[in-house]
Amino acid sequence: MTIWVDADACPAVIRDIICRAAQRTATPAVFVANRRPALPASPHIRSIVVGQGFDVADAEIARQCQQGDLLVSGDIPLAAQVLAKGAAAINFRGEAYSSDTIEGQLTLRDFMDNLRGSGIQSGGPPPFSQADRQQFAGKLDQWLAARQRRPASPTP
């Protein structure tokens, strides 16, 4: 299992939580970005630098993410792609994506795009609070613990 991170959009505080969790649990974490993110030296943490553009990083994550992996991203279409492959996906607040939440968020995103297109300004997401950080860390720990408890597949 691998934690895949959409690093260009990932807040630094969330990146740090993921790095600590990867080191603590020996779970590989891969940060995919347009430029090399600042990451601690660890055999469990690496980065993949791709060509410019969010779509390039998203395509790389979608290509490599496998069943049982975890995506950490705020990108709804990318989350839908990895869910279809049998991976899990959470946003930067630790909320899990599902088919239902993706459909609802795409509807909300379209609504907000239409609002902005009409000239109405939106304030964007609120900054991360200490409670948001704790919620994300708790959700990530729950996901990692659940994956580590799964029995290994028997070999033929």
Side-chain angles (χ1 to χ4, degrees), residues 18-103:
I18 294 167
C19 289
R20 285 194 303 271
Q23 291 175 359
R24 186 180 70 249
T25 63
T27 301
V30 181
F31 292 79
V32 182
N34 297 132
R35 55 187 154 79
R36 190 160 311 281
L39 300 170
S42 170
H44 307 294
I45 300 168
R46 67 184 177 100
S47 63
I48 297 175
V49 178
V50 297
Q52 292 296 313
F54 289 110
D55 291 342
V56 177
D58 292 352
E60 183 66 18
I61 292 171
R63 185 179 71 75
Q64 291 200 43
C65 193
Q66 300 176 26
Q67 183 174 354
D69 288 351
L70 174 68
L71 167 70
V72 179
S73 175
D75 188 275
I76 300 164
L78 176 58
Q81 290 178 61
V82 302
L83 285 177
K85 293 177 83 173
I90 60 175
N91 65 22
F92 299 126
R93 297 200 184 276
E95 301 160 337
Y97 288 101
S98 68
S99 299
D100 292 338
T101 61
I102 287 174
E103 183 177 335

Side-chain angles (χ1 to χ4, degrees), residues 107-120:
T107 302
L108 177 61
R109 187 183 72 173
D110 291 344
F111 173 74
M112 294 303 290
D113 286 347
N114 288 336
L115 262 168
R116 281 189 287 276
S118 68
I120 296 173

